[in-house]
Structure formats: structure tokens, C-alpha cells
Amino acid sequence: IAPVHFDREKVVRVKPQDENQVSIMKNLAKDNELDFWYPDAINHVAANMTVDFRVSGKEFQSIQSALDQNRMHYEILIDNLQEEIEKQFDVKEA
Amino acid sequence: IPGRHSYAKYNNWDKIVAWTEKMVDKHPEMVSRIKIGSTFEDNPLYILKIGKKDERRKSVFMDCGIHAQEWISPAFCQWFVYQAAKSYGKNKIMTKILDRMNFYVLPVFNVDGYIWSWTQDRMWKKNRSKNHNSKCVGTDLNRNFNVSWHSSPNTDDPCQDTYRGPAPESEKETKAVADFIRSHLKSIRAYISFHSYSQMLLFPYGYTLKLPPNHEDLTKVARIGTDVLSTRYETQYIYGPIASTAYPTSGSSLDWAYSLGIKHTFAFELRDKGRFGFLLPESRIKSTCKETMLAVKFIAKYILRHTS
């Protein structure tokens, strides 16, 4: 099996401000393949909680427009996950 | 030949196995290796015991790498064993601790998942057991313990990252660890589990917002522990019960160990706070381990003084 690659995958941070924004997040999770980093599942997401999730580059566009439309602030923590995976090995062999 | 082990780098499973052998060879009077079982894919589950031979002494059980993608966690367990063995007889505090208590360190709990995260999918979390009637693989071992296992919000969907398994202790890894802790319950005074990320020091409960009977004691240890941790690099940790500080979970090892009678159980969520998430660069391993070591030593000292 070929190893999984994460080219252009992003990690996004959102902080839903109220129950309405929580349910928007839940709908987004229903319609897209989101990998929740923190908390570790959508059912743990609550208002005022910092939520980090991974999303493919392709799905990010629809997520981004949904967040924009609903005036939900977001931050891109990691823009290209594959690059970050490679960068974590930043110590040379002794 | 697994290649060179390094405390400043992430080590794959082969290197960690070779390292366990090396630690025993290098410190035979201080370190011993115990095979407590094997994984779904038949890899060995090793615990390193640090301390003198006396089984009646107080002990602390520590596990790392219950979630495969949290690589900083096994890195810390390796660092801890190395530092403890190396500094015995040289460092006053560590010598005092090891003269009176033992540590059982499980460097990688979820071995199959850890291997998978190195070879196939860096973001893999669960173990690698097959699920009946599903093409999806794996159980979240930190939801597979026999404590409030049936309660929501756990998922019954094997395709979810937080799948709790078909039954409590259904997984060979969970069962092996639970059996070991049960059989050493007389000596174990504290249980510490290492995770990443989000910089928290957590204690029970996760399955309810109720506070444990000794919550004042646990809060005090966590407060001082996080204070001590911050003295080295000013890394800020928050602390508190799992359910209110992080989010509610059930079937966790921490709550299970507490329910078994180990009244000092803690989980560290190590660095960072999201800049790197699960991909903490190797250049930050040493500083993360050094500051965490301070907190763990404090907890050990506290256990020595305040438990009977």
C-alpha cells in the first residue's frame, strides 16, 4: 500500500462563538471529511472552544466559503500538511 | 540493523526496541524489561522497570503513545528512562526518588498504530485491529477501558477515529496494560499518561463533570506541577479535570486507573498549542522533555511524601 500523502491538506482553527456556529460546524463535518485534531471528534465541539481540524485542499474551498458566509473567523494553522510533515525532521543525524 | 537511536529525534519502533535492550544492558542494576503481552499484529508490548528489585516499594506507572500520531509522547518516555537511569547516584533528587520508588514505563502503548504512523499514515491515531463487519480498521485505545464505557458521546462507528471498540478491554493492548496494572496495584501509587497536544495537565474525571473525592489534592499537584514545568522555558500549561478543562470522554485510561484505586492519575497533553499540533519538530523535543521532566519529578516526590 502506498503511504498516504497530505499535499495541500490544511489544518484550520475555528472558534465557534455560540450554538448556532457550533451547528454550522456540525453540518460542515457532516458534508465534508474533516479530521478533528482538537477536540478529537465533532461531538465534543462546543461554543467558545478552539477547534482544530484537518481538511483536504479540495474541500477547503467549500469550508472557507461556508465560514466566510456565516462570518466565522478562522485561521489556517498549517497550509500544506505534507511540507510540515517533512519539516518535523529538522534535526540531523548525529 | 535498526540504525542509530537519538533522544533528539523521533525514533521508529525498531530503534525503540533496540534502545530498550541497550538500556537494560547499560544499567542492569537499575533497568529491566518486562514483556506484558503482544499487540493485534503480534508486536511485543514492553515495559521498562526503573529502580531497585524490591517489589514492595511504591511505584509510578507511566505510559506513552496510546495515540499513534502523538510522536512527542514516546519521545518523552525514552527521555525519562534515559535521564532517570543516567542521573541515579549523580542527581540528588533522582537518587532519592529511585532509592524509594520504582517506575514502570511503557514507552509505546499503541505499537501497531505507531508503526503505521511511520510507514503508511502519519496522521493515524487508533490501533490496527480489524473490526467485525467493517472495512475500517482500529480502535481508540483511550476509549477502550472499562470505565463508563457504554456512555455517550462515544461512537459505535468503527470508521471514526474515536471508535471505542466492541467491548471494554476488547483490544489486546488495553487488556495487557490493564492486567499489568491490576497485578501491580499494591505498589502503584500514581498513573501518568502522556499525550499531545494542547499543553494541559489533566486529572479525573473525563466521563462526568463531577469532581473526584480528592480533587483538591489533585488540583494542588497539577497547579504546582504546571508551575514547576513553566520555570524552565516559561511554557504555559493549564490544568484541571478532563471533562471541564478539555472535553468529556469516557473509557479513558485515566478514569479507569482512578476507579481501580490509584488516586493520583494525571494526563499530560504536551506541546504545542496548535502551531505544529501533532507535527512538533524534532528541534523542540529536548526542551519539551526537559520541562516535562521537572513536573514528573515533582509528582513523584509528592507521591513519596503524601501517600502511604
PDB file of all heavy atoms in Angstrom, chain A residues 1 3-4 6 13 37-40 43-44 52 77 81 88-91, chain B residues 9 120-123 125 143 153 197 200 246-248 273-274 279 282-283:
ATOM      1  N   ILE A   1       0.860  -1.196   0.000  1.00  0.00           N
ATOM      2  CA  ILE A   1       0.000   0.000   0.000  1.00  0.00           C
ATOM      3  C   ILE A   1       0.885   1.231   0.000  1.00  0.00           C
ATOM      4  O   ILE A   1       1.827   1.328   0.794  1.00  0.00           O
ATOM      5  CB  ILE A   1      -0.908   0.016   1.252  1.00  0.00           C
ATOM      6  CG1 ILE A   1      -1.632  -1.316   1.411  1.00  0.00           C
ATOM      7  CG2 ILE A   1      -1.887   1.170   1.192  1.00  0.00           C
ATOM      8  CD1 ILE A   1      -2.269  -1.512   2.773  1.00  0.00           C
ATOM      9  N   PRO A   3       2.056   4.846   0.916  1.00  0.00           N
ATOM     10  CA  PRO A   3       1.801   5.702   2.078  1.00  0.00           C
ATOM     11  C   PRO A   3       0.900   6.888   1.720  1.00  0.00           C
ATOM     12  O   PRO A   3       0.909   7.369   0.589  1.00  0.00           O
ATOM     13  CB  PRO A   3       3.200   6.196   2.470  1.00  0.00           C
ATOM     14  CG  PRO A   3       4.151   5.251   1.819  1.00  0.00           C
ATOM     15  CD  PRO A   3       3.476   4.734   0.591  1.00  0.00           C
ATOM     16  N   VAL A   4       0.145   7.337   2.699  1.00  0.00           N
ATOM     17  CA  VAL A   4      -0.769   8.465   2.489  1.00  0.00           C
ATOM     18  C   VAL A   4       0.050   9.758   2.354  1.00  0.00           C
ATOM     19  O   VAL A   4       0.990   9.981   3.114  1.00  0.00           O
ATOM     20  CB  VAL A   4      -1.735   8.605   3.690  1.00  0.00           C
ATOM     21  CG1 VAL A   4      -2.700   9.763   3.479  1.00  0.00           C
ATOM     22  CG2 VAL A   4      -2.493   7.306   3.929  1.00  0.00           C
ATOM     23  N   PHE A   6      -0.169  14.046   2.064  1.00  0.00           N
ATOM     24  CA  PHE A   6      -1.046  15.099   2.574  1.00  0.00           C
ATOM     25  C   PHE A   6      -0.816  16.421   1.848  1.00  0.00           C
ATOM     26  O   PHE A   6      -0.969  17.484   2.438  1.00  0.00           O
ATOM     27  CB  PHE A   6      -0.815  15.264   4.085  1.00  0.00           C
ATOM     28  CG  PHE A   6      -1.122  14.023   4.878  1.00  0.00           C
ATOM     29  CD1 PHE A   6      -0.127  13.081   5.134  1.00  0.00           C
ATOM     30  CD2 PHE A   6      -2.397  13.781   5.357  1.00  0.00           C
ATOM     31  CE1 PHE A   6      -0.412  11.932   5.858  1.00  0.00           C
ATOM     32  CE2 PHE A   6      -2.684  12.629   6.077  1.00  0.00           C
ATOM     33  CZ  PHE A   6      -1.691  11.704   6.334  1.00  0.00           C
ATOM     34  N   ARG A  13      -8.114  26.432  12.221  1.00  0.00           N
ATOM     35  CA  ARG A  13      -8.604  26.679  13.587  1.00  0.00           C
ATOM     36  C   ARG A  13      -9.824  27.597  13.537  1.00  0.00           C
ATOM     37  O   ARG A  13      -9.796  28.649  12.890  1.00  0.00           O
ATOM     38  CB  ARG A  13      -7.502  27.332  14.425  1.00  0.00           C
ATOM     39  CG  ARG A  13      -7.975  27.793  15.802  1.00  0.00           C
ATOM     40  CD  ARG A  13      -6.807  28.133  16.697  1.00  0.00           C
ATOM     41  NE  ARG A  13      -6.131  26.909  17.133  1.00  0.00           N
ATOM     42  CZ  ARG A  13      -5.047  26.909  17.923  1.00  0.00           C
ATOM     43  NH1 ARG A  13      -4.521  28.045  18.338  1.00  0.00           N
ATOM     44  NH2 ARG A  13      -4.498  25.764  18.287  1.00  0.00           N
ATOM     45  N   TRP A  37      -8.520  17.445  15.087  1.00  0.00           N
ATOM     46  CA  TRP A  37      -7.297  17.338  15.900  1.00  0.00           C
ATOM     47  C   TRP A  37      -7.605  17.731  17.338  1.00  0.00           C
ATOM     48  O   TRP A  37      -7.137  17.134  18.270  1.00  0.00           O
ATOM     49  CB  TRP A  37      -6.203  18.250  15.320  1.00  0.00           C
ATOM     50  CG  TRP A  37      -5.497  17.669  14.133  1.00  0.00           C
ATOM     51  CD1 TRP A  37      -5.958  16.687  13.295  1.00  0.00           C
ATOM     52  CD2 TRP A  37      -4.197  18.013  13.653  1.00  0.00           C
ATOM     53  NE1 TRP A  37      -5.027  16.415  12.337  1.00  0.00           N
ATOM     54  CE2 TRP A  37      -3.936  17.211  12.516  1.00  0.00           C
ATOM     55  CE3 TRP A  37      -3.226  18.930  14.037  1.00  0.00           C
ATOM     56  CZ2 TRP A  37      -2.743  17.295  11.794  1.00  0.00           C
ATOM     57  CZ3 TRP A  37      -2.041  19.019  13.323  1.00  0.00           C
ATOM     58  CH2 TRP A  37      -1.805  18.207  12.219  1.00  0.00           C
ATOM     59  N   TYR A  38      -8.353  18.801  17.495  1.00  0.00           N
ATOM     60  CA  TYR A  38      -8.777  19.211  18.842  1.00  0.00           C
ATOM     61  C   TYR A  38     -10.123  19.923  18.769  1.00  0.00           C
ATOM     62  O   TYR A  38     -10.221  20.893  18.051  1.00  0.00           O
ATOM     63  CB  TYR A  38      -7.753  20.143  19.506  1.00  0.00           C
ATOM     64  CG  TYR A  38      -8.137  20.367  20.958  1.00  0.00           C
ATOM     65  CD1 TYR A  38      -7.663  19.530  21.954  1.00  0.00           C
ATOM     66  CD2 TYR A  38      -9.035  21.386  21.297  1.00  0.00           C
ATOM     67  CE1 TYR A  38      -8.060  19.708  23.268  1.00  0.00           C
ATOM     68  CE2 TYR A  38      -9.436  21.553  22.613  1.00  0.00           C
ATOM     69  CZ  TYR A  38      -8.942  20.721  23.583  1.00  0.00           C
ATOM     70  OH  TYR A  38      -9.346  20.885  24.881  1.00  0.00           O
ATOM     71  N   PRO A  39     -11.119  19.494  19.507  1.00  0.00           N
ATOM     72  CA  PRO A  39     -11.192  18.209  20.203  1.00  0.00           C
ATOM     73  C   PRO A  39     -11.109  17.065  19.185  1.00  0.00           C
ATOM     74  O   PRO A  39     -11.062  17.334  17.979  1.00  0.00           O
ATOM     75  CB  PRO A  39     -12.555  18.268  20.881  1.00  0.00           C
ATOM     76  CG  PRO A  39     -13.375  19.161  20.011  1.00  0.00           C
ATOM     77  CD  PRO A  39     -12.432  20.190  19.487  1.00  0.00           C
ATOM     78  N   ASP A  40     -11.141  15.821  19.651  1.00  0.00           N
ATOM     79  CA  ASP A  40     -10.875  14.738  18.702  1.00  0.00           C
ATOM     80  C   ASP A  40     -12.110  14.231  17.959  1.00  0.00           C
ATOM     81  O   ASP A  40     -12.002  13.286  17.185  1.00  0.00           O
ATOM     82  CB  ASP A  40     -10.118  13.580  19.382  1.00  0.00           C
ATOM     83  CG  ASP A  40     -10.900  12.962  20.539  1.00  0.00           C
ATOM     84  OD1 ASP A  40     -12.057  13.353  20.756  1.00  0.00           O
ATOM     85  OD2 ASP A  40     -10.340  12.078  21.227  1.00  0.00           O
ATOM     86  N   ASN A  43     -18.511  15.672  17.978  1.00  0.00           N
ATOM     87  CA  ASN A  43     -19.498  15.723  19.074  1.00  0.00           C
ATOM     88  C   ASN A  43     -18.958  16.378  20.345  1.00  0.00           C
ATOM     89  O   ASN A  43     -19.709  16.626  21.267  1.00  0.00           O
ATOM     90  CB  ASN A  43     -20.102  14.338  19.362  1.00  0.00           C
ATOM     91  CG  ASN A  43     -19.060  13.288  19.638  1.00  0.00           C
ATOM     92  OD1 ASN A  43     -17.875  13.589  19.630  1.00  0.00           O
ATOM     93  ND2 ASN A  43     -19.486  12.073  19.885  1.00  0.00           N
ATOM     94  N   HIS A  44     -17.664  16.652  20.395  1.00  0.00           N
ATOM     95  CA  HIS A  44     -17.103  17.352  21.553  1.00  0.00           C
ATOM     96  C   HIS A  44     -17.049  18.875  21.339  1.00  0.00           C
ATOM     97  O   HIS A  44     -16.699  19.615  22.258  1.00  0.00           O
ATOM     98  CB  HIS A  44     -15.687  16.870  21.851  1.00  0.00           C
ATOM     99  CG  HIS A  44     -15.611  15.404  22.177  1.00  0.00           C
ATOM    100  ND1 HIS A  44     -16.469  14.786  23.048  1.00  0.00           N
ATOM    101  CD2 HIS A  44     -14.767  14.441  21.739  1.00  0.00           C
ATOM    102  CE1 HIS A  44     -16.160  13.501  23.124  1.00  0.00           C
ATOM    103  NE2 HIS A  44     -15.146  13.268  22.340  1.00  0.00           N
ATOM    104  N   ASP A  52      -9.527  22.663  16.137  1.00  0.00           N
ATOM    105  CA  ASP A  52      -8.541  22.482  15.065  1.00  0.00           C
ATOM    106  C   ASP A  52      -8.925  21.250  14.259  1.00  0.00           C
ATOM    107  O   ASP A  52      -9.175  20.191  14.840  1.00  0.00           O
ATOM    108  CB  ASP A  52      -7.129  22.247  15.640  1.00  0.00           C
ATOM    109  CG  ASP A  52      -6.640  23.412  16.493  1.00  0.00           C
ATOM    110  OD1 ASP A  52      -7.206  24.513  16.372  1.00  0.00           O
ATOM    111  OD2 ASP A  52      -5.679  23.213  17.263  1.00  0.00           O
ATOM    112  N   LEU A  77      -3.741  27.139  10.351  1.00  0.00           N
ATOM    113  CA  LEU A  77      -2.556  26.823  11.169  1.00  0.00           C
ATOM    114  C   LEU A  77      -1.468  26.203  10.309  1.00  0.00           C
ATOM    115  O   LEU A  77      -0.290  26.483  10.467  1.00  0.00           O
ATOM    116  CB  LEU A  77      -2.922  25.851  12.294  1.00  0.00           C
ATOM    117  CG  LEU A  77      -3.914  26.342  13.352  1.00  0.00           C
ATOM    118  CD1 LEU A  77      -4.202  25.227  14.360  1.00  0.00           C
ATOM    119  CD2 LEU A  77      -3.376  27.560  14.080  1.00  0.00           C
ATOM    120  N   LEU A  81       0.155  20.380   4.753  1.00  0.00           N
ATOM    121  CA  LEU A  81       0.497  19.406   5.792  1.00  0.00           C
ATOM    122  C   LEU A  81       1.699  18.548   5.402  1.00  0.00           C
ATOM    123  O   LEU A  81       2.548  18.241   6.244  1.00  0.00           O
ATOM    124  CB  LEU A  81      -0.720  18.524   6.082  1.00  0.00           C
ATOM    125  CG  LEU A  81      -0.627  17.649   7.319  1.00  0.00           C
ATOM    126  CD1 LEU A  81      -0.503  18.465   8.584  1.00  0.00           C
ATOM    127  CD2 LEU A  81      -1.859  16.756   7.424  1.00  0.00           C
ATOM    128  N   GLN A  88       9.187  18.368  10.112  1.00  0.00           N
ATOM    129  CA  GLN A  88       9.337  17.989  11.519  1.00  0.00           C
ATOM    130  C   GLN A  88      10.679  17.282  11.776  1.00  0.00           C
ATOM    131  O   GLN A  88      11.193  17.290  12.879  1.00  0.00           O
ATOM    132  CB  GLN A  88       8.170  17.098  11.964  1.00  0.00           C
ATOM    133  CG  GLN A  88       8.298  15.654  11.584  1.00  0.00           C
ATOM    134  CD  GLN A  88       7.087  14.822  11.882  1.00  0.00           C
ATOM    135  OE1 GLN A  88       6.584  14.836  12.977  1.00  0.00           O
ATOM    136  NE2 GLN A  88       6.624  14.117  10.870  1.00  0.00           N
ATOM    137  N   PHE A  89      11.256  16.702  10.703  1.00  0.00           N
ATOM    138  CA  PHE A  89      12.573  16.045  10.864  1.00  0.00           C
ATOM    139  C   PHE A  89      13.669  17.088  10.652  1.00  0.00           C
ATOM    140  O   PHE A  89      14.378  17.071   9.646  1.00  0.00           O
ATOM    141  CB  PHE A  89      12.718  14.891   9.863  1.00  0.00           C
ATOM    142  CG  PHE A  89      11.698  13.806  10.051  1.00  0.00           C
ATOM    143  CD1 PHE A  89      10.637  13.659   9.164  1.00  0.00           C
ATOM    144  CD2 PHE A  89      11.772  12.935  11.132  1.00  0.00           C
ATOM    145  CE1 PHE A  89       9.679  12.669   9.334  1.00  0.00           C
ATOM    146  CE2 PHE A  89      10.815  11.933  11.313  1.00  0.00           C
ATOM    147  CZ  PHE A  89       9.773  11.803  10.417  1.00  0.00           C
ATOM    148  N   ASP A  90      13.766  18.020  11.566  1.00  0.00           N
ATOM    149  CA  ASP A  90      14.698  19.128  11.357  1.00  0.00           C
ATOM    150  C   ASP A  90      15.992  18.985  12.160  1.00  0.00           C
ATOM    151  O   ASP A  90      16.760  19.928  12.263  1.00  0.00           O
ATOM    152  CB  ASP A  90      14.009  20.474  11.671  1.00  0.00           C
ATOM    153  CG  ASP A  90      13.594  20.585  13.131  1.00  0.00           C
ATOM    154  OD1 ASP A  90      13.595  19.567  13.839  1.00  0.00           O
ATOM    155  OD2 ASP A  90      13.266  21.709  13.566  1.00  0.00           O
ATOM    156  N   VAL A  91      16.211  17.803  12.733  1.00  0.00           N
ATOM    157  CA  VAL A  91      17.479  17.568  13.432  1.00  0.00           C
ATOM    158  C   VAL A  91      18.269  16.541  12.627  1.00  0.00           C
ATOM    159  O   VAL A  91      17.743  15.467  12.301  1.00  0.00           O
ATOM    160  CB  VAL A  91      17.232  17.061  14.873  1.00  0.00           C
ATOM    161  CG1 VAL A  91      18.529  16.596  15.522  1.00  0.00           C
ATOM    162  CG2 VAL A  91      16.592  18.161  15.715  1.00  0.00           C
TER     163      VAL A  91
ATOM    164  N   LYS B   9      15.757  13.034  18.310  1.00  0.00           N
ATOM    165  CA  LYS B   9      14.989  12.763  17.095  1.00  0.00           C
ATOM    166  C   LYS B   9      13.842  11.797  17.406  1.00  0.00           C
ATOM    167  O   LYS B   9      13.849  11.134  18.437  1.00  0.00           O
ATOM    168  CB  LYS B   9      15.895  12.124  16.025  1.00  0.00           C
ATOM    169  CG  LYS B   9      16.942  13.072  15.463  1.00  0.00           C
ATOM    170  CD  LYS B   9      17.807  12.433  14.396  1.00  0.00           C
ATOM    171  CE  LYS B   9      17.044  12.068  13.156  1.00  0.00           C
ATOM    172  NZ  LYS B   9      16.435  13.218  12.451  1.00  0.00           N
ATOM    173  N   GLN B 120       2.856   4.320   6.903  1.00  0.00           N
ATOM    174  CA  GLN B 120       1.736   4.465   5.971  1.00  0.00           C
ATOM    175  C   GLN B 120       0.963   5.772   6.109  1.00  0.00           C
ATOM    176  O   GLN B 120       0.584   6.370   5.116  1.00  0.00           O
ATOM    177  CB  GLN B 120       0.748   3.299   6.173  1.00  0.00           C
ATOM    178  CG  GLN B 120       1.322   1.946   5.837  1.00  0.00           C
ATOM    179  CD  GLN B 120       1.643   1.789   4.371  1.00  0.00           C
ATOM    180  OE1 GLN B 120       0.950   2.339   3.514  1.00  0.00           O
ATOM    181  NE2 GLN B 120       2.694   1.060   4.053  1.00  0.00           N
ATOM    182  N   ASP B 121       0.687   6.161   7.333  1.00  0.00           N
ATOM    183  CA  ASP B 121      -0.210   7.312   7.511  1.00  0.00           C
ATOM    184  C   ASP B 121       0.213   8.080   8.768  1.00  0.00           C
ATOM    185  O   ASP B 121      -0.087   7.660   9.888  1.00  0.00           O
ATOM    186  CB  ASP B 121      -1.653   6.786   7.653  1.00  0.00           C
ATOM    187  CG  ASP B 121      -2.668   7.903   7.819  1.00  0.00           C
ATOM    188  OD1 ASP B 121      -2.262   9.072   8.015  1.00  0.00           O
ATOM    189  OD2 ASP B 121      -3.882   7.606   7.765  1.00  0.00           O
ATOM    190  N   ARG B 122       0.897   9.188   8.552  1.00  0.00           N
ATOM    191  CA  ARG B 122       1.433   9.971   9.667  1.00  0.00           C
ATOM    192  C   ARG B 122       0.340  10.427  10.630  1.00  0.00           C
ATOM    193  O   ARG B 122       0.599  10.691  11.805  1.00  0.00           O
ATOM    194  CB  ARG B 122       2.194  11.201   9.108  1.00  0.00           C
ATOM    195  CG  ARG B 122       2.729  12.179  10.124  1.00  0.00           C
ATOM    196  CD  ARG B 122       3.765  11.545  11.023  1.00  0.00           C
ATOM    197  NE  ARG B 122       4.178  12.430  12.098  1.00  0.00           N
ATOM    198  CZ  ARG B 122       3.582  12.560  13.273  1.00  0.00           C
ATOM    199  NH1 ARG B 122       2.477  11.840  13.519  1.00  0.00           N
ATOM    200  NH2 ARG B 122       4.033  13.363  14.197  1.00  0.00           N
ATOM    201  N   MET B 123      -0.892  10.514  10.153  1.00  0.00           N
ATOM    202  CA  MET B 123      -1.976  11.037  10.992  1.00  0.00           C
ATOM    203  C   MET B 123      -2.782   9.927  11.674  1.00  0.00           C
ATOM    204  O   MET B 123      -3.841  10.189  12.232  1.00  0.00           O
ATOM    205  CB  MET B 123      -2.915  11.904  10.129  1.00  0.00           C
ATOM    206  CG  MET B 123      -2.289  13.208   9.699  1.00  0.00           C
ATOM    207  SD  MET B 123      -1.814  14.158  11.134  1.00  0.00           S
ATOM    208  CE  MET B 123      -0.117  14.490  10.767  1.00  0.00           C
ATOM    209  N   LYS B 125      -4.230   7.351  14.315  1.00  0.00           N
ATOM    210  CA  LYS B 125      -4.411   7.507  15.755  1.00  0.00           C
ATOM    211  C   LYS B 125      -4.664   6.172  16.495  1.00  0.00           C
ATOM    212  O   LYS B 125      -4.127   5.919  17.568  1.00  0.00           O
ATOM    213  CB  LYS B 125      -5.622   8.426  15.990  1.00  0.00           C
ATOM    214  CG  LYS B 125      -5.991   8.587  17.432  1.00  0.00           C
ATOM    215  CD  LYS B 125      -7.245   9.455  17.555  1.00  0.00           C
ATOM    216  CE  LYS B 125      -7.468   9.834  18.997  1.00  0.00           C
ATOM    217  NZ  LYS B 125      -8.459  10.890  19.151  1.00  0.00           N
ATOM    218  N   ARG B 143     -10.309   4.922  24.676  1.00  0.00           N
ATOM    219  CA  ARG B 143     -11.754   4.842  24.925  1.00  0.00           C
ATOM    220  C   ARG B 143     -12.185   3.401  25.144  1.00  0.00           C
ATOM    221  O   ARG B 143     -13.365   3.095  25.161  1.00  0.00           O
ATOM    222  CB  ARG B 143     -12.530   5.473  23.769  1.00  0.00           C
ATOM    223  CG  ARG B 143     -12.482   6.997  23.819  1.00  0.00           C
ATOM    224  CD  ARG B 143     -13.318   7.590  22.703  1.00  0.00           C
ATOM    225  NE  ARG B 143     -13.593   8.993  22.899  1.00  0.00           N
ATOM    226  CZ  ARG B 143     -12.734   9.968  22.681  1.00  0.00           C
ATOM    227  NH1 ARG B 143     -11.515   9.688  22.296  1.00  0.00           N
ATOM    228  NH2 ARG B 143     -13.078  11.237  22.855  1.00  0.00           N
ATOM    229  N   PRO B 153     -20.571  10.447  24.919  1.00  0.00           N
ATOM    230  CA  PRO B 153     -20.696  10.550  23.469  1.00  0.00           C
ATOM    231  C   PRO B 153     -19.768   9.619  22.710  1.00  0.00           C
ATOM    232  O   PRO B 153     -19.319   9.975  21.616  1.00  0.00           O
ATOM    233  CB  PRO B 153     -20.317  12.015  23.240  1.00  0.00           C
ATOM    234  CG  PRO B 153     -19.285  12.313  24.285  1.00  0.00           C
ATOM    235  CD  PRO B 153     -19.602  11.419  25.443  1.00  0.00           C
ATOM    236  N   TYR B 197      -1.677  17.185  21.669  1.00  0.00           N
ATOM    237  CA  TYR B 197      -1.028  18.411  22.037  1.00  0.00           C
ATOM    238  C   TYR B 197      -2.062  19.252  22.777  1.00  0.00           C
ATOM    239  O   TYR B 197      -3.227  18.856  22.851  1.00  0.00           O
ATOM    240  CB  TYR B 197      -0.530  19.152  20.762  1.00  0.00           C
ATOM    241  CG  TYR B 197      -1.638  19.522  19.801  1.00  0.00           C
ATOM    242  CD1 TYR B 197      -2.212  20.795  19.805  1.00  0.00           C
ATOM    243  CD2 TYR B 197      -2.135  18.591  18.885  1.00  0.00           C
ATOM    244  CE1 TYR B 197      -3.234  21.131  18.923  1.00  0.00           C
ATOM    245  CE2 TYR B 197      -3.166  18.926  18.029  1.00  0.00           C
ATOM    246  CZ  TYR B 197      -3.705  20.196  18.054  1.00  0.00           C
ATOM    247  OH  TYR B 197      -4.727  20.511  17.194  1.00  0.00           O
ATOM    248  N   MET B 200      -1.690  20.792  28.562  1.00  0.00           N
ATOM    249  CA  MET B 200      -2.592  20.660  29.709  1.00  0.00           C
ATOM    250  C   MET B 200      -2.061  19.588  30.647  1.00  0.00           C
ATOM    251  O   MET B 200      -1.408  18.635  30.203  1.00  0.00           O
ATOM    252  CB  MET B 200      -3.988  20.224  29.258  1.00  0.00           C
ATOM    253  CG  MET B 200      -4.731  21.226  28.423  1.00  0.00           C
ATOM    254  SD  MET B 200      -6.316  20.495  27.930  1.00  0.00           S
ATOM    255  CE  MET B 200      -6.899  21.739  26.808  1.00  0.00           C
ATOM    256  N   ALA B 246     -10.669  19.993  29.191  1.00  0.00           N
ATOM    257  CA  ALA B 246     -10.579  19.650  27.768  1.00  0.00           C
ATOM    258  C   ALA B 246     -12.003  19.446  27.254  1.00  0.00           C
ATOM    259  O   ALA B 246     -12.673  20.403  26.890  1.00  0.00           O
ATOM    260  CB  ALA B 246      -9.726  18.405  27.566  1.00  0.00           C
ATOM    261  N   TYR B 247     -12.469  18.219  27.293  1.00  0.00           N
ATOM    262  CA  TYR B 247     -13.846  17.915  26.895  1.00  0.00           C
ATOM    263  C   TYR B 247     -14.212  16.546  27.451  1.00  0.00           C
ATOM    264  O   TYR B 247     -13.325  15.757  27.784  1.00  0.00           O
ATOM    265  CB  TYR B 247     -14.000  17.951  25.360  1.00  0.00           C
ATOM    266  CG  TYR B 247     -12.903  17.245  24.616  1.00  0.00           C
ATOM    267  CD1 TYR B 247     -12.956  15.889  24.357  1.00  0.00           C
ATOM    268  CD2 TYR B 247     -11.783  17.953  24.174  1.00  0.00           C
ATOM    269  CE1 TYR B 247     -11.947  15.242  23.689  1.00  0.00           C
ATOM    270  CE2 TYR B 247     -10.743  17.309  23.500  1.00  0.00           C
ATOM    271  CZ  TYR B 247     -10.837  15.958  23.265  1.00  0.00           C
ATOM    272  OH  TYR B 247      -9.821  15.313  22.598  1.00  0.00           O
ATOM    273  N   PRO B 248     -15.499  16.240  27.565  1.00  0.00           N
ATOM    274  CA  PRO B 248     -15.891  14.957  28.179  1.00  0.00           C
ATOM    275  C   PRO B 248     -15.491  13.765  27.305  1.00  0.00           C
ATOM    276  O   PRO B 248     -15.626  13.822  26.090  1.00  0.00           O
ATOM    277  CB  PRO B 248     -17.419  15.052  28.270  1.00  0.00           C
ATOM    278  CG  PRO B 248     -17.747  16.481  28.045  1.00  0.00           C
ATOM    279  CD  PRO B 248     -16.660  17.058  27.197  1.00  0.00           C
ATOM    280  N   LYS B 273       0.602  24.310  21.213  1.00  0.00           N
ATOM    281  CA  LYS B 273      -0.808  24.718  21.325  1.00  0.00           C
ATOM    282  C   LYS B 273      -1.478  24.837  19.957  1.00  0.00           C
ATOM    283  O   LYS B 273      -2.523  25.457  19.826  1.00  0.00           O
ATOM    284  CB  LYS B 273      -0.903  26.034  22.111  1.00  0.00           C
ATOM    285  CG  LYS B 273      -0.658  25.792  23.600  1.00  0.00           C
ATOM    286  CD  LYS B 273      -0.787  27.028  24.426  1.00  0.00           C
ATOM    287  CE  LYS B 273      -2.196  27.504  24.586  1.00  0.00           C
ATOM    288  NZ  LYS B 273      -2.937  26.780  25.627  1.00  0.00           N
ATOM    289  N   GLY B 274      -0.853  24.254  18.948  1.00  0.00           N
ATOM    290  CA  GLY B 274      -1.515  24.223  17.649  1.00  0.00           C
ATOM    291  C   GLY B 274      -0.666  24.700  16.488  1.00  0.00           C
ATOM    292  O   GLY B 274      -0.995  24.419  15.339  1.00  0.00           O
ATOM    293  N   LEU B 279       2.684  17.606  14.757  1.00  0.00           N
ATOM    294  CA  LEU B 279       3.926  17.599  13.977  1.00  0.00           C
ATOM    295  C   LEU B 279       5.008  18.461  14.619  1.00  0.00           C
ATOM    296  O   LEU B 279       5.708  19.202  13.948  1.00  0.00           O
ATOM    297  CB  LEU B 279       3.631  18.073  12.553  1.00  0.00           C
ATOM    298  CG  LEU B 279       2.575  17.243  11.818  1.00  0.00           C
ATOM    299  CD1 LEU B 279       2.202  17.876  10.501  1.00  0.00           C
ATOM    300  CD2 LEU B 279       3.070  15.820  11.605  1.00  0.00           C
ATOM    301  N   GLU B 282      11.447  18.073  15.522  1.00  0.00           N
ATOM    302  CA  GLU B 282      12.423  17.395  16.378  1.00  0.00           C
ATOM    303  C   GLU B 282      13.246  18.391  17.193  1.00  0.00           C
ATOM    304  O   GLU B 282      13.660  18.076  18.309  1.00  0.00           O
ATOM    305  CB  GLU B 282      13.351  16.538  15.522  1.00  0.00           C
ATOM    306  CG  GLU B 282      12.653  15.328  14.929  1.00  0.00           C
ATOM    307  CD  GLU B 282      13.567  14.476  14.061  1.00  0.00           C
ATOM    308  OE1 GLU B 282      14.492  15.052  13.441  1.00  0.00           O
ATOM    309  OE2 GLU B 282      13.355  13.255  13.976  1.00  0.00           O
ATOM    310  N   SER B 283      13.457  19.554  16.632  1.00  0.00           N
ATOM    311  CA  SER B 283      14.284  20.546  17.341  1.00  0.00           C
ATOM    312  C   SER B 283      13.644  20.981  18.662  1.00  0.00           C
ATOM    313  O   SER B 283      14.294  21.615  19.484  1.00  0.00           O
ATOM    314  CB  SER B 283      14.520  21.774  16.454  1.00  0.00           C
ATOM    315  OG  SER B 283      13.282  22.266  15.989  1.00  0.00           O
TER     316      SER B 283
END
